[in-house]
Amino acid sequence: MNLSLSLLSDQFLLNFSYLWLIVIATTIGIIIGAMPGFGSANTIIMLLPFTLAVDVEVAMIFMVSLFVASHMGGGITSILLNIPGNGGSAATCLDGYPMARKGLGQQALVLSFVASTVGGMVTALMSIFLLPYIARLAFYMHSVEMVVILLFGITLIASVASDNMLKGLIAGFLGLLIGAIGADHIYSTPRGTFGFIELYDGVPLIAVLIGVFAISEALIMMESSSVLSDTGKQMMRQSGWKETWEGVVWSFQRTWHMIWTGIIGLIIGIVPGAGASIAAFVAYQQSRLYSKTPEKYGTGIPEGVIAPESANNGCASGDLIPLLVIGVPGGTTAAVMLIVMTYHGVQLGPRLFIQNPGIGYGVFITMLIAYAVMLFTTLPLTRWVSKLVLIPTPVLAPIIIAFTLVGAFAPRGYMFDLWLTLLFGAIGYVCRRTGFNVVALLIGVILGPMLEANVMRALRISGNDPWVFFSSPVGNILWAALAVSLAIPSIVQWRRNRAAARTATA
Amino acid sequence: MNDDRKAKVATGADWIIPVLGAIFATYYLISIKDLDWEAKVSGVFCAVMLFGLIGIFALRTAIGLLRGTHYLEFRSLYESHRLAVLRGSLFALTVTSVAVIPWAGFTLSTFGFLFACFLWLQRMSVRAAAITAGALALGGYVLFILILRTSFPQGPFESLVSTLTGL
């Protein structure tokens, strides 16, 4: 593959000449990302006439900037309102919202922006230099490996439910069962659909997301006149540039954390079909498992914001690698990009790097510049954006409901989805009031269908031999990693208990 | 609530999710009983696990009630009468708003919903509520219908604007 300094510098110059376009695209991307239900894929589809009318380089700069910005934007509402803009930012709610409630919304936003930028930039740089090698990973990721990766995500149910494990597991398995609604992956026979044809494709994730997060959160909000505690309100009113700078310092004190969780996102992003939501949940879970203070996760700590945000932006780089190197899109937006590139006559796959290396490497150069642009445009805004939480809840809650319902309708255009959203809103409300973790429920709904599809595919290919799950070297390495990641916290806890017992007897 | 109750675990409302889960799991198992094993293995596994967990939950609650460490109550679901009325009103207004969307369209239903909520929940003056709700509904119309082209059912407002301006 023809990677040279002159090629990279040419791409930098090209991108700089379209800086105005990157600014526009990132602004649209951040706004779209912050709105539940409006994904980057839908936006690119809506702007398809533009991307088809301009040169392929310009179209790619626009699409890539919009794509990466949407990953960053999703964290804004997760932190301020406990409503994720997309599945990838659902894990950000776990610590981002508690931080906002304490009056640390501005710092949490900065953490999210810096982690997104660092995670995205590091993984984009890695992608440029390791592209040929990283891309080979995609060839080794089949159903068996996907099963283990998904299990990594599902173990998070136990983590988030640590307050009340039994209730958390009930919510998680209910989510998995809800995720099993719809036509099965082999015979396409409907299961548990109550006869509704709208459920044959499965329960729409956006309806669940908006219902259990936005609607139920809006109902819960009514218990006080503000989402902030009294101290939080006072802190938020007085917050200024000092808090922005504090967020930057907190972020860079955790540079290594941003890097390794970004790499988790990159690796998961490379696997076709595994999206930002899995990357964010797995990164959060791994971050918690290797933390010295895992009990603080969920109470509003910087690491809990950094891990998912860095990972879902790392996933954005990973999503594009199989698209460019083997012509297989890693996600929905990458699939739309494939269509645009094919329309422009660009041949994807290994030939791309021989015939048109500028486009191949240019994608990651665009990502680097888009992240830099986003950081410089969003950081000064955090001071004002974070004030959103100062709006009284009797005003905020109806606005949230009115506008998120549009998001529930937009992806499929069914009125049915609005009713489903209200149903999940009621379920989410009951869950929250009675201590059943809604994140565990959501993880089940997101990962359940994927796990089932991959388990069935692996079994089909192997002639129903269960040993297939231990038949691949990469899969076995992942199994070992899963076992180690589950065992380490128990070992650490056991050692701590033993040390405490020794101290007590001494 | 006296100190004796504070030390105990409240149960009652937290039975809603397990009961709903058990009903749904039963329905799910019935709906898949005639399918091939590949189509039902995942659902059966999840349903059996769910029943098992609900069983443990039931056992734990029953023991707690017998020992006196748990007590029955449903108040945790609504906290106080005032909050129950507020939340109930908000949810009822949301349901009404969704129900009228097919006839009123996005803009009018959103305006009506926000106007009613601001009047009822925030106790805004009629004028302030109308201006705020109107501005938000119009903003939503421009963003979602005109710019993002969301295919919400057309109402009288959208039809009128479309006829007058061709947008």
Side-chain angles (χ1 to χ4, degrees), chain A residues 101 220-228 392-394, chain B residues 82-83:
Chain A
R101 282 184 70 103
I220 293 283
M221 268 181 191
M222 301 307 296
E223 68 193 35
S224 57
S225 59
S226 170
V227 293
L228 294 162
T393 48
Chain B
R82 189 189 71 84
L83 273 177

Side-chain angles (χ1 to χ4, degrees), chain A residues 8 66 74 79 85 92 134 149 153 174 222 224 261-262 269 329 364 456 476:
Chain A
L8 293 182
L66 197 145
I79 290 166
T92 312
I134 294 175
I149 288 174
L174 179 60
M222 301 307 296
S224 57
T261 48
F364 296 103
M456 296 323 300
N476 289 342

Side-chain angles (χ1 to χ4, degrees), chain A residues 302-387:
Chain A
E303 287 81 359
V305 176
I306 286 174
E309 283 300 305
S310 182
N312 72 38
N313 286 276
C315 183
S317 309
D319 262 350
L320 299 176
I321 291 175
L323 171 76
L324 298 170
V325 179
I326 51 175
V328 176
T332 323
T333 313
V336 182
M337 286 187 197
L338 181 137
I339 295 164
V340 174
M341 288 168 92
T342 312
Y343 171 84
H344 282 288
V346 177
Q347 199 167 6
L348 294 159
R351 281 178 158 268
L352 172 72
F353 293 90
I354 298 161
Q355 293 174 343
N356 213 338
I359 289 183
Y361 291 108
V363 164
F364 296 103
I365 302 287
T366 305
M367 286 179 95
L368 288 174
I369 294 173
Y371 277 119
V373 166
M374 278 189 285
L375 193 63
F376 284 109
T377 51
T378 52
L379 273 188
L381 291 178
T382 52
R383 195 179 159 185
W384 291 283
V385 174
S386 61
K387 303 276 193 253

Side-chain angles (χ1 to χ4, degrees), chain A residues 104-129:
Chain A
L104 300 172
Q106 200 177 328
Q107 288 92 329
L109 281 178
V110 175
L111 282 166
S112 148
F113 295 152
V114 177
S116 299
T117 306
V118 173
M121 279 184 156
V122 167
T123 51
L125 273 172
M126 284 179 74
S127 304
I128 290 172
F129 295 105

Side-chain angles (χ1 to χ4, degrees), chain A residues 31-32 35 38 43 46 164 166-167 169-171 173-174 176-178 180-182 184 186-187 189-195 215 218-224 392-399 401-403 405-407 409-410 412-413 415 418-419 422-423 425-427 429-431 433-436 448 452 456 459-460 464, chain B residues 13-18 20-21 24-25 27-28 31-32 35-47 49-50 53-54 56-57 60 75-79 82-83 86-88 90-91 94-99 101-102 106 110 113-114 117-118 121-122 124 132 136-137 139-140 143-144 147-153:
Chain A
I31 295 168
I32 293 292
M35 291 195 290
F38 289 88
T43 317
M46 281 183 300
N164 190 329
L166 187 58
K167 282 185 176 179
L169 289 174
I170 289 174
F173 275 95
L174 179 60
L176 285 168
L177 196 61
I178 291 169
I181 290 175
D184 79 85
I186 308 255
Y187 303 103
T189 41
R191 303 164 302 170
T193 58
F194 296 94
I215 306 293
L219 294 172
I220 293 283
M221 268 181 191
M222 301 307 296
E223 68 193 35
S224 57
T393 48
V395 176
L396 196 57
I399 297 174
I401 291 178
F403 292 133
L405 280 176
V406 187
F409 179 86
R412 307 203 303 173
M415 280 303 292
L418 291 184
W419 293 112
L422 293 184
L423 174 70
I427 292 173
Y429 172 76
V430 176
C431 280
R433 294 289 333 154
T434 55
F436 288 86
E452 184 192 11
M456 296 323 300
L459 285 173
R460 267 266 150 163
N464 293 328
Chain B
D14 52 0
W15 265 100
I16 296 172
I17 293 295
L20 281 176
F24 175 60
Y27 159 74
Y28 192 93
S31 84
I32 60 170
L35 304 185
D36 288 288
W37 78 269
E38 288 153 311
K40 62 184 177 188
V41 63
S42 164
V44 169
F45 171 74
C46 294
M49 288 297 291
L50 190 58
L53 290 164
I54 292 169
I56 297 169
F57 188 71
R60 195 183 270 188
R75 208 175 146 188
S76 57
L77 200 62
Y78 58 86
E79 284 174 283
R82 189 189 71 84
L83 273 177
L86 277 179
R87 285 185 180 131
L90 182 61
F91 196 71
T94 310
V95 171
T96 313
S97 158
V98 171
I101 283 174
F106 168 78
T110 304
F113 169 69
L114 291 174
C117 285
F118 294 159
L121 305 172
Q122 177 69 3
M124 273 188 196
T132 318
L136 286 164
L143 179 66
F144 298 119
I147 298 175
L148 296 174
R149 295 277 165 202
T150 307
S151 55
F152 250 100

